[in-house]
Amino acid sequence: MPGFASRPDPASPDRSCPPSESRPAEHAGRPVVLRWSRHPSCVGLARLELRKALAGWGLAALEESATLVLSELLTNAGRHARVSPGRQIETRYVPELPSGLRIEVHDASPVRPEPWVPDADACGGRGLLLVAALADAWGIGDRDGPGKVVWAHLSLPPGDAGDAPS
């Protein structure tokens, strides 16, 4: 994934990639839906928005795994979803309170990702293997309109579920 999953400084976001939908300052258990261009800097900005949402939902314990899963799914959509110019990628962060999170990445391409095992010396190709290792479950589904949704569900470890606001 050289070049795509770059990590821009969140304090100085790339103006080519602002989320195209506003969100309330307080997420209050509501899903966060944002749309992004295919520009590589969007991945870092999407992670920043996910971190904010997780903190607001009391699910910060999922941050490390959730941001890596999001990075892999959004990177795949940006690199491999062959769609007409101007189409955006949609992310949805859905709290499943008190103990979990669903991450969805929607794109307009009908081509479904296929997990595969890369050669040991390959530089890429491990994204979906990472998603499978970190998520409790993941999958690919149809969506309203063209394309697909790739989703992953993550749960808090036992004992951490009491931190989420009700």
Side-chain angles (χ1 to χ4, degrees):
M1 292 182 257
F4 188 79
S6 61
R7 295 178 184 221
D9 177 3
S12 59
D14 180 336
R15 298 294 176 214
S16 67
C17 187
S20 66
E21 293 186 7
S22 60
R23 4 346 94 236
E26 176 59 43
H27 300 298
R30 293 185 302 262
V32 174
V33 179
L34 300 165
R35 290 193 180 95
W36 308 93
S37 77
R38 292 177 50 180
H39 193 277
S41 65
C42 292
V43 176
L45 295 172
R47 285 192 304 256
L48 178 63
E49 294 299 328
L50 177 57
R51 284 184 188 101
K52 290 178 194 175
L54 290 170
W57 295 325
L59 297 174
L62 291 174
E63 183 177 318
E64 189 173 320
S65 296
T67 56
L68 181 54
V69 166
L70 173 65
S71 293
E72 295 301 333
L73 297 182
L74 193 53
T75 297
N76 280 349
R79 290 184 120 198
H80 303 295
R82 300 293 171 228
V83 298
S84 57
R87 287 281 188 175
Q88 292 182 310
I89 299 167
E90 182 176 276
T91 55
R92 294 183 189 181
Y93 315 139
V94 183
E96 296 181 346
L97 299 175
S99 63
L101 170 72
R102 180 179 170 100
I103 297 170
E104 298 179 0
V105 176
H106 298 245
D107 66 63
S109 173
V111 178
R112 293 175 179 247
E114 295 284 332
W116 60 286
V117 178
D119 293 333
D121 59 347
C123 292
R126 294 174 180 80
L128 292 177
L129 295 174
L130 288 170
V131 170
L134 294 170
D136 297 312
W138 76 277
I140 306 158
D142 295 326
R143 63 183 213 129
D144 293 335
K148 66 185 169 298
V149 57
V150 183
W151 58 269
H153 182 269
L154 293 92
S155 296
L156 287 171
D160 284 341
D163 296 337
S166 13

